[in-house]
Amino acid sequence: MTRIKSSIQFRLTRLIRTVRGIAARLTGRSGSTLEDPESLRKRLARQPLLNFTRAGDQDFVDRVWDDLCFPGWVGKTPQKLTSGLCTRLQLESLAFRYWIGRLKTPFVLRRKDWEFAFILQALYERGCLQPGKRGLGFAVGEEAIPSLLASMGCDVVATDLDPNDSRAQAWAETAQLATSLDKLRRPEICQDNEFVRRVSYQHVDMNEIPMDLRDFDFTWSSCSFEHCGSIRQGLNFINNQMACLKPGGIAVHTTEFNLTHEDETIQEGMTVIFRRRDIDELVCSLKAAGHYVEPVSYVLGQTKDDQAVDIFPYTSIPHLKLLLFDHYISTSIALIVRKAD
């Protein structure tokens, strides 16, 4: 689950607005009643998805993701991840299953597991998961990733919002805020003495990254920069956090992606939803700064589970796409960026 679940009040406000906006669909002319919320959600979850697939994307659609290289993999022609959307075929690949297993998580078709596995796979492919490498995680919540990185010999600085910040209350109430180093311990993944030696924690506002967080080999975040306050602040965060990396360092970040509207979206507030135009703008700004961005594939996935949409309270499996604010269908998108040399 992402941090979206905690914004219940905001969802209800959006639901009321949505219901009012479809008043023309009331049944009957007098004494009619509004469509009940559950029926409304189910109907909106069936709205058509945008199709971004182009002719040049067919190679991405046809790829066999079991050719991804991971520890212990035996094969002939390893492939590498590119930036792109969450799909079932990637999640079911041997590599993604490997990382999910290393995180001691049962395998299910859930996008959060795809995000964690994507981050780890992308970093592994680029030589980041080795002894002596330094990683910086933003808005880590209670992720198991810091423990796994420490078990592989990486030195990690895990960060999250100060619990005294008014914005942190919602995350703390749903156990999605790292208030201390103890929240990140996973003794089943990393021995405690190794964890304490390699992982440190500090409070960081993603909109005001401290100047002393520099010279890291890699950075990451999992569905976090949509919570910076606005579309613009989220884009600024990605550009700004590049300063935390060494030349040639790797950044892997995931966020919310709008699958139903190319123009309309949530642009400000506790959670925003990025459109393709926003991602394209971000890619252009990163390239203009001299950084390399792995090409972004907007292929949605070809299976029925890639078309299924979960609705609040988000308890269904598969959970690869979901209805946000009872209006927008969203999924996760991941970006891989290498800092300019």
Side-chain angles (χ1 to χ4, degrees):
M1 280 305 180
T2 67
R3 295 181 168 182
I4 302 303
K5 290 188 65 177
S6 61
S7 54
I8 297 176
Q9 183 177 0
F10 191 46
R11 295 177 185 284
L12 292 176
T13 301
R14 285 287 172 184
L15 174 59
I16 293 171
R17 184 179 299 177
T18 301
V19 172
R20 288 174 177 170
I22 61 170
R25 300 182 182 180
L26 294 174
T27 57
R29 297 195 177 188
S30 62
S32 57
T33 58
L34 291 173
E35 186 175 5
D36 70 90
E38 188 69 12
S39 298
L40 174 62
R41 292 190 186 103
K42 290 180 179 179
R43 179 167 59 78
L44 291 174
R46 294 192 296 270
Q47 60 188 304
L49 303 179
L50 295 172
N51 183 10
F52 297 110
T53 306
R54 299 172 178 172
D57 293 327
Q58 195 58 45
D59 176 63
F60 184 93
V61 176
D62 294 338
R63 285 187 184 182
V64 179
W65 291 108
D66 281 347
D67 287 338
L68 293 171
C69 179
F70 60 94
W73 178 82
V74 178
K76 297 180 179 179
T77 55
Q79 295 186 19
K80 278 190 174 183
L81 290 175
T82 62
S83 305
L85 302 178
C86 171
T87 68
R88 175 178 172 172
L89 288 181
Q90 274 193 349
L91 181 55
E92 288 189 324
S93 68
L94 294 176
F96 277 46
R97 286 177 179 267
Y98 170 83
W99 295 115
I100 291 170
R102 289 289 301 267
L103 292 170
K104 306 299 182 183
T105 303
F107 179 84
V108 293
L109 295 176
R110 182 170 52 201
R111 69 171 187 151
K112 177 54 70 176
D113 295 329
W114 175 87
E115 291 171 15
F116 290 159
F118 188 104
I119 291 168
L120 292 166
Q121 178 65 22
L123 293 175
Y124 174 78
E125 291 172 349
R126 289 154 184 83
C128 294
L129 305 189
Q130 299 179 23
K133 296 291 185 178
R134 297 179 68 236
L136 171 63
F138 291 97
V140 296
E142 297 185 11
E143 296 174 5
I145 286 181
S147 282
L148 180 55
L149 296 177
S151 74
M152 301 181 77
C154 298
D155 297 311
V156 177
V157 177
T159 71
D160 212 337
L161 197 60
D162 189 326
N164 294 318
D165 190 304
S166 59
R167 296 167 295 172
Q169 182 178 359
W171 312 137
E173 290 175 350
T174 53
Q176 297 179 85
L177 181 72
T179 55
S180 68
L181 192 61
D182 284 338
K183 294 287 186 179
L184 301 173
R185 293 178 190 269
R186 296 292 188 278
E188 71 278 15
I189 296 176
C190 181
Q191 293 183 355
D192 198 59
N193 59 341
E194 188 75 356
F195 175 85
V196 172
R197 187 162 68 94
R198 296 198 176 277
V199 182
S200 62
Y201 171 80
Q202 68 183 80
H203 303 314
V204 169
D205 183 341
M206 295 168 68
N207 292 321
E208 299 179 14
I209 302 174
M211 292 292 292
D212 62 341
L213 293 177
R214 293 293 184 268
D215 296 323
F216 289 90
D217 295 289
F218 62 91
T219 60
W220 88 90
S221 72
S222 173
C223 253
S224 298
F225 72 90
E226 69 269 23
H227 303 305
C228 287
S230 68
I231 293 283
R232 179 55 49 200
Q233 287 174 293
L235 300 182
N236 288 343
F237 161 74
I238 293 297
N239 282 289
N240 292 338
Q241 61 84 44
M242 295 301 295
C244 301
L245 293 166
K246 295 177 179 179
I250 303 297
V252 187
H253 298 271
T254 69
T255 194
E256 298 287 351
F257 185 78
N258 193 330
L259 291 175
T260 45
H261 297 276
E262 294 189 77
D263 295 312
E264 181 184 349
T265 195
I266 304 295
Q267 298 195 49
E268 295 183 343
M270 188 173 184
T271 300
V272 300
I273 312 175
F274 294 92
R275 301 156 293 190
R276 175 165 182 170
R277 60 198 270 188
D278 303 314
I279 300 299
D280 289 345
E281 177 188 341
L282 176 59
V283 170
C284 287
S285 65
L286 289 166
K287 288 182 176 179
H291 309 308
Y292 174 76
V293 184
E294 288 287 353
V296 183
S297 169
Y298 292 98
V299 172
L300 301 179
Q302 307 299 305
T303 73
K304 63 180 180 63
D305 290 330
D306 289 304
Q307 303 299 313
V309 179
D310 196 7
I311 62 176
F312 188 77
Y314 309 132
T315 55
S316 298
I317 297 295
H319 177 80
L320 305 181
K321 296 176 174 65
L322 67 160
L323 185 68
L324 290 181
F325 307 118
D326 298 304
H327 189 70
Y328 304 96
I329 295 176
S330 176
T331 192
S332 300
I333 187 169
L335 297 174
I336 308 172
V337 189
R338 185 178 71 239
K339 184 172 179 175
D341 292 332

